Amino acid sequence: MPKEIKDHTCEEEIFTRIYNKYSKNLHDFLYYKFGDYLDPNDKMQEAFIKLWENCKKVAPSSARAFLFKVASNMMLNDIKHRKVVFRYNQQKSKEYTNETPEFIMEGNQFHEKYQKALNKLSEEQRITFLLSKADRKPHKDIAELLGVNKRVVDSRVYNASIKLKAELEEFEKFYAKKRSKLL
């Protein structure tokens, strides 16, 4: 009885035979050509996964060429990727700003004052205000989340805004006077 010729590698027996026949050679080829640091065993395994994914398209007679080409391309892609990462890491990051030290100091002081002003708010006002302004949640969603009416949320955000504005206007007035003396 003549042997049936298969035109694909999707049968488990054929795939296993191909794996057993080429896996060591493919690993060794990748190891000798690219070295150990790119992990040739992983690339060999990935090449066989690609073969399995494309088993309908690859005949057993061309499986060896397919595996070696796919594995080699994966190694080359990995090398290219590592070069890009290396170049990126070699670039010096921007370690300077255009802001003056006074501007940075004032910003830090403003942030501290803002935090203190937030802490002066009642817990309900602070939570509602931060959900509204920092998280940008709609008042309707905040009302559902807190289990209160939407009008309560509106009132809390409004009152918190007025208190914060009063606290921070004092800060702004102080620095406006200080700046005018410097000019």
Side-chain angles (χ1 to χ4, degrees):
M1 180 152 92
K3 240 185 181 176
E4 192 178 309
I5 299 175
K6 298 286 181 184
D7 60 344
H8 57 78
T9 56
C10 291
E11 289 184 22
E12 186 177 345
E13 181 184 319
I14 295 171
F15 187 83
T16 304
R17 202 175 25 211
I18 290 170
Y19 182 84
N20 291 335
K21 187 173 183 180
Y22 297 123
S23 61
K24 182 169 178 9
N25 291 339
L26 181 58
H27 173 271
D28 293 346
F29 167 76
L30 296 173
Y31 178 79
Y32 296 139
K33 185 170 181 178
F34 299 104
D36 193 33
Y37 78 102
L38 292 174
D39 204 1
N41 193 47
D42 278 356
K43 298 299 186 281
M44 182 264 304
Q45 294 293 335
E46 288 178 36
F48 276 99
I49 291 171
K50 289 279 188 196
L51 176 63
W52 184 253
E53 289 171 351
N54 295 295
C55 66
K56 294 257 187 225
K57 302 173 189 171
V58 181
S61 60
S62 59
R64 182 183 182 282
F66 177 85
L67 288 168
F68 278 70
K69 186 67 172 176
V70 166
S72 186
N73 286 342
M74 281 192 274
M75 290 294 246
L76 291 172
N77 288 342
D78 198 8
I79 289 171
K80 287 178 188 175
H81 174 71
R82 288 174 188 241
K83 283 182 181 179
V84 168
V85 170
F86 178 74
R87 281 192 214 120
Y88 178 77
N89 288 334
Q90 293 300 312
Q91 293 176 349
K92 291 190 177 191
S93 62
K94 182 179 169 184
E95 296 178 8
Y96 59 89
T97 63
N98 293 332
E99 290 94 17
T100 64
E102 293 84 15
F103 179 80
I104 294 171
M105 183 180 73
E106 286 178 9
N108 291 338
Q109 289 173 344
F110 180 80
H111 182 69
E112 288 175 22
K113 184 71 173 174
Y114 178 70
Q115 290 300 322
K116 286 179 184 176
L118 278 176
N119 289 332
K120 288 182 182 180
L121 297 174
S122 69
E123 184 176 352
E124 294 87 12
Q125 284 180 329
R126 185 175 56 253
I127 291 170
T128 308
F129 180 80
L130 290 174
L131 284 170
S132 174
K133 301 302 180 189
D135 292 347
R136 298 187 184 275
K137 290 193 180 287
H139 288 195
K140 178 183 170 194
D141 294 350
I142 297 170
E144 288 177 18
L145 183 69
L146 299 177
V148 295
N149 189 326
K150 182 183 175 292
R151 289 186 184 196
V152 172
V153 172
D154 294 340
S155 174
R156 286 180 185 173
V157 171
Y158 177 75
N159 290 330
S161 298
I162 289 177
K163 288 180 181 178
L164 287 172
K165 188 175 182 180
E167 287 282 331
L168 297 175
E169 275 182 1
E170 292 175 19
F171 179 83
E172 183 57 38
K173 287 177 186 175
F174 171 75
Y175 275 100
K177 288 179 187 176
K178 188 175 176 182
R179 274 191 234 115
S180 65
K181 288 179 184 178
L182 292 173
L183 297 175

